[in-house]
């Protein structure tokens, strides 16, 4: 039989200056096996993004270290998503809240892994699951980090694609393009 040719990706690169505003793309929980494809798509679309990296994914994983190096080489920002993605407050995982020393270890261990893999020292962090309170953010701020949340306030302008829920690519695109309703917002 004849082999079916591989589907060629079609890209329409962005060529405007976002003069009416700006869009910031962020990706959490990597690097992983999908990172090279994400980087390729972003580069083909002439887009930049910030990658919030889990430090544990770099440990003893040369493929993920190479993916992080490609992020840096491509001019992407690499920031801190903690070492092993533990919930700081326990709200999303029904676990005990982290202590100050545990929060510092999560941040500092991730930064050590990120820097060891070749990225500049992160200055931003995103708390796993968005589980944060003022006390935990204060701990991080005093350790030299500024928070970037994965979601906004009602009526705000931060859109979560909800790709992490297992929805289809079409649903992800609709969430980004049209927004979505969650918890009445």
């Amino acid at each position: 039989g004849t082999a079916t040719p591989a589907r060629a990706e079609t890209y329409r690169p962005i060529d405007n200056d976002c003069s009416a505003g700006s869009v910031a793309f962020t990706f959490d929980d990597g690097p992983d096996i999908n990172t090279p494809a994400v980087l390729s798509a972003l580069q083909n679309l002439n887009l930049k993004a910030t990658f919030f990296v889990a430090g544990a994914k770099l440990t003893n994983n040369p493929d993920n270290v190479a993916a992080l190096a490609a992020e840096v080489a491509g001019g992407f920002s690499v920031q801190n998503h903690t070492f092993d993605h533990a919930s700081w407050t326990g709200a999303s995982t029904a676990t005990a809240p982290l202590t100050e020393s545990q929060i510092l270890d999560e941040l500092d261990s991730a930064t050590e892994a990120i820097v060891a893999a070749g990225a500049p020292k992160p200055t931003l962090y995103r708390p796993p699951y968005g589980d944060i309170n003022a006390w935990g953010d204060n701990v991080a701020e005093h350790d030299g980090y500024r928070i970037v949340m994965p979601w906004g306030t009602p009526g705000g302008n931060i859109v979560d694609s909800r790709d992490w829920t297992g929805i289809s690519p079409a649903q992800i695109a609709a969430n980004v393009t049209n927004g979505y309703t969650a918890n009445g917002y």
Side-chain angles (χ1 to χ4, degrees):
T2 58
T4 304
R7 188 181 132 230
E9 294 295 329
T10 302
Y11 296 99
R12 289 185 301 160
I14 304 300
D15 62 1
N16 67 54
D17 65 2
C18 292
S19 60
S22 61
V23 174
F25 291 99
T26 63
F27 296 87
D28 295 355
D29 304 331
D32 61 26
I33 60 169
N34 297 311
T35 301
V38 169
L39 285 174
S40 177
L42 289 167
Q43 289 168 327
N44 282 311
L45 291 166
N46 194 29
L47 296 172
K48 293 294 181 197
T50 299
F51 291 88
F52 286 92
V53 172
K57 293 198 173 183
L58 300 169
T59 304
N60 299 318
N61 192 319
D63 291 339
N64 286 351
V65 169
L68 182 138
E71 291 170 356
V72 172
F76 296 93
S77 177
V78 175
Q79 299 296 325
N80 193 321
H81 195 41
T82 74
F83 190 76
D84 64 11
H85 206 271
S87 169
W88 290 16
T89 65
S92 293
T93 56
T95 54
L98 298 186
T99 64
E100 180 177 356
S101 64
Q102 288 172 315
I103 289 172
L104 293 171
D105 186 55
E106 283 289 325
L107 290 167
D108 295 342
S109 295
T111 288
E112 289 171 15
I114 290 165
V115 170
K121 182 181 179 191
T123 57
L124 305 175
Y125 83 100
R126 175 168 282 166
Y129 311 100
D131 289 353
I132 191 68
N133 55 28
W135 175 81
D137 185 47
N138 191 46
V139 169
E141 183 179 334
H142 281 91
D143 200 28
Y145 298 93
R146 188 166 46 101
I147 193 169
V148 177
M149 288 302 287
W151 41 263
T153 56
N157 62 358
I158 298 174
V159 176
D160 180 352
S161 67
R162 301 186 55 79
D163 62 310
W164 49 271
T165 64
I167 59 178
S168 72
Q171 290 169 308
I172 292 168
N175 284 346
V176 171
T177 304
N178 306 321
Y180 68 94
T181 301
N183 299 324
Y185 300 116

